[in-house]
Amino acid sequence: MHNLFARPMSRRGLLRASAGFAAVAVAPKPVFAALERDIISLKPAAARAQLVPGQPETSVFAYNGSVPGPEIRVKQGERLRLAVSNRLDQETTVHWHGIRTPNAMDGVPHLTQKPIGPGETFHYEFDVQDAGTFWYHPHHHSMEQVGRGLAGPLIVEEHEPIQVDRDITWLLGDWRLKADASISDDFGNFMDLSHGGRVGNTPTINGRLPGDFRVRSGERIRLRLINGANARIFGLNFEGHDPQIIAIDGHPVEPHRPNSGRVVIAPAQRIDLAIDMGNDPGRTFRVVDDFYPKLAYELVLLSYSGDAPLRSSPLDAGLRLPDNPVAEPDLSSAVRHEVVLGGGMMGMMQGAMMHGEMTDMRTMMRQGMAWAINGVAASGHALDPVFAVKRGQTCVVSVVNQTRWHHPMHLHGHTFRVLSRNGTRTQHREWQDTVLLDPDERVEIAFVADNPGDWMFHCHILEHQASGMMSVIRVA
Ligand code: C2O
Ligand code: CU
């Protein structure tokens, strides 16, 4: 792993001199404001995008020609109607990540729908129950389709949002580019599959290698972070600022500072921050990503305009968002299940069930498989459930990571509470749809199984998903 176009770390005060990058502003995105009854049209197709200023354009896959796809905005409680017309030369689907849709609208190929063939159109339609920051992406060949650019924000607005001066979305991307800025097409190589996934060399914000993000002294920004990368985990340090986490995976949380000041966001996760721009006009601060210490780089610079401060002391308004209508798990009557993650390099796994047969690790590897859930290496979406839960029942799942790698585990169709980590109760009992497990960590989650159907529970490092780390939970 190395960085190619990412801004190298510079010493404080030498920022401008050392970075050989033009100060390109974080790009605005096209926005679809969904009016009730409107049908939003999404057209995945091959396109070209200027990811790296000063470099040639990159051939990408894009929704409606833009990377990321258009930001879809809707009010909580409204109905979304979307027509997805596939202009790619391969099948696709769209999954509305984190939205609690009916099963048939979940976008999982061969499990909830037939893939959308080239030239075909599929209609998705569902009510949005929860406000918050969500996103959409293909669930078919997602390792390659997301890796080539298919992803977009889906923002559900609260009826009574908190007071901020600006509401900003940063979809974080991560590309593996060659020196001519074209996408390296080594998708699915065994190194990526069996280690940390396809970590790229060019992190972007809203589809562009960022330079500056302009802010004004005194303003309060709601910053919606979405990690749309295949595999890169970000660990963001906002130097000179004190961001408060106000929502995780779309759902409100008691506003709090991130642990040790660093905002860690794994693939597929969303984190909403409230940040007061409390510094003087004209100053510049770094946002440094040092999740992988050897790969630390400056993601973007917060650059204060020369305008007089908007206000003299921080905005005096609350940060607590209104709760979403998610059913509270009843732990006293819960059924309990265990889900064990195994495999990967440097792991203990000897083999797993593959296509119904016990297969040793060496044979698995020859067929591009590296991971298993409860001893089964999944090679497609149409899976037998790892367990079934009665509708309405509270379910507690102990997820046990028996590997040497991180795994952001995502459950479809539901939102769960994160109860504990390695036996220690979590402080905020966060509502999430994707939970990051550290190597050898055990995490307990709980949810009310109130959405009937077969639901994916899988790792959102897309290379892990593609090489076995995928399962189905049945609610019936
Ligand atoms: Cu964001 Cu199963 O996916
Ligand atoms: Cu994983």
Side-chain angles (χ1 to χ4, degrees):
M1 293 194 301
H2 65 288
N3 293 322
L4 179 60
F5 293 113
R7 303 168 66 101
M9 292 289 279
S10 55
R11 272 178 296 141
R12 233 178 253 276
L14 291 175
L15 296 174
R16 304 303 175 139
S18 66
F21 292 97
V24 172
V26 172
K29 317 154 299 318
V31 173
F32 266 134
L35 299 172
E36 209 119 17
R37 301 203 184 290
D38 274 4
I39 295 183
I40 292 174
S41 150
L42 283 182
K43 297 190 175 75
R48 297 183 68 76
Q50 185 87 53
L51 303 177
V52 186
Q55 292 290 324
E57 285 188 335
T58 302
S59 292
V60 297
F61 289 171
Y63 291 112
N64 301 9
S66 81
V67 170
E71 178 170 299
I72 298 170
R73 278 207 168 237
V74 66
K75 278 234 156 33
Q76 185 173 18
E78 284 179 356
R79 194 162 180 81
L80 261 178
R81 294 176 178 81
L82 304 116
V84 175
S85 301
N86 183 5
R87 304 276 160 87
L88 299 165
D89 58 10
Q90 54 179 281
E91 297 178 322
T92 192
T93 64
V94 182
H95 171 59
W96 317 97
H97 185 115
I99 305 273
R100 299 186 290 139
T101 66
N103 193 253
M105 297 290 113
D106 198 41
V108 180
H110 308 294
L111 187 73
T112 69
Q113 71 169 96
K114 256 187 27 202
I116 311 167
E120 291 177 1
T121 297
F122 187 89
H123 291 266
Y124 293 93
E125 181 169 343
F126 48 86
D127 296 324
V128 286
Q129 313 172 62
D130 302 323
T133 305
F134 303 94
W135 66 301
Y136 60 93
H137 64 79
H139 219 286
H140 188 65
H141 297 155
S142 51
M143 174 171 67
E144 178 178 353
Q145 292 187 7
V146 174
R148 291 190 184 277
L150 288 178
L154 200 178
I155 308 299
V156 184
E157 296 173 348
E158 299 89 10
H159 289 286
E160 283 168 42
I162 55 164
Q163 195 191 335
V164 295
D165 298 300
R166 282 196 290 160
D167 183 328
I168 302 284
T169 306
W170 283 2
L171 190 141
L172 305 173
D174 178 35
W175 307 75
R176 184 177 292 173
L177 300 181
K178 299 194 278 203
D180 63 355
S182 65
I183 294 176
S184 159
D185 58 10
D186 59 340
F187 289 98
N189 72 70
F190 197 72
M191 176 76 182
D192 288 344
L193 296 178
S194 59
H195 293 71
R198 181 182 170 93
V199 175
N201 53 25
T202 307
T204 55
I205 295 179
N206 298 339
R208 191 80 78 89
L209 183 79
D212 288 15
F213 178 68
R214 295 291 266 185
V215 301
R216 177 160 178 199
S217 177
E219 70 172 336
R220 174 172 292 174
I221 291 182
R222 175 174 183 172
L223 184 59
R224 302 171 184 266
L225 300 172
I226 302 170
N227 185 345
N230 279 36
R232 182 185 288 269
I233 304 168
F234 291 82
L236 302 181
N237 304 273
F238 291 78
E239 294 183 354
H241 294 80
D242 183 22
Q244 301 282 319
I245 296 178
I246 58 171
I248 302 176
D249 289 352
H251 295 271
V253 63
E254 193 53 42
H256 64 279
R257 296 198 167 85
N259 261 339
S260 43
R262 186 166 85 154
V263 180
V264 173
I265 179 167
Q269 289 192 305
R270 287 86 62 215
I271 293 184
D272 287 32
L273 300 173
I275 311 181
D276 286 319
M277 299 299 163
N279 294 287
D280 292 338
R283 297 196 61 189
T284 297
F285 295 85
R286 312 186 299 183
V287 179
V288 169
D289 173 12
D290 61 1
F291 185 83
Y292 310 100
K294 288 197 191 113
L295 289 184
Y297 65 98
E298 296 172 19
L299 176 66
V300 64
L301 298 174
L302 301 181
S303 140
Y304 280 68
S305 71
D307 297 337
L310 198 58
R311 52 180 67 82
S312 53
S313 56
L315 182 61
D316 183 19
L319 293 179
R320 187 73 169 89
L321 289 159
D323 283 328
N324 281 319
V326 185
E328 185 63 45
D330 171 13
L331 298 181
S332 64
S333 69
V335 289
R336 288 171 181 273
H337 291 280
E338 192 173 71
V339 166
V340 178
L341 314 177
M345 291 323 263
M346 298 176 282
M348 301 296 289
M349 195 171 88
Q350 306 289 307
M353 292 296 283
M354 224 174 85
H355 308 293
E357 267 173 54
M358 192 59 205
T359 310
D360 64 84
M361 192 70 178
R362 191 174 292 265
T363 311
M364 277 177 66
M365 283 163 52
R366 274 203 299 271
Q367 298 180 42
M369 300 294 278
W371 308 93
I373 291 183
N374 286 4
V376 178
S379 45
H381 289 87
L383 298 164
D384 291 332
V386 274
F387 59 82
V389 196
K390 267 219 189 66
R391 188 172 177 183
Q393 176 84 54
T394 289
C395 181
V396 173
V397 186
S398 257
V399 192
V400 187
N401 182 4
Q402 292 185 349
T403 80
R404 305 297 306 138
W405 302 90
H406 290 93
H407 303 289
M409 294 298 295
H410 170 48
L411 176 63
H412 286 213
H414 297 80
T415 303
F416 51 77
R417 278 203 185 277
V418 182
L419 299 179
S420 70
R421 290 180 173 274
N422 287 332
T424 306
R425 218 187 115 104
T426 57
Q427 207 184 334
H428 301 285
R429 301 182 87 232
E430 299 89 346
W431 287 117
Q432 292 179 209
D433 58 58
T434 306
V435 62
L436 177 62
L437 281 93
D438 289 342
D440 295 315
E441 196 177 28
R442 168 191 287 265
V443 171
E444 238 186 352
I445 62 172
F447 63 98
V448 179
D450 54 6
N451 199 357
D454 280 359
W455 301 104
M456 301 303 304
F457 185 50
H458 67 86
C459 179
H460 222 291
I461 288 181
L462 301 176
E463 292 68 32
H464 293 178
Q465 180 189 0
S467 56
M469 198 170 274
M470 197 160 55
S471 65
V472 163
I473 293 174
R474 176 167 294 166
V475 177

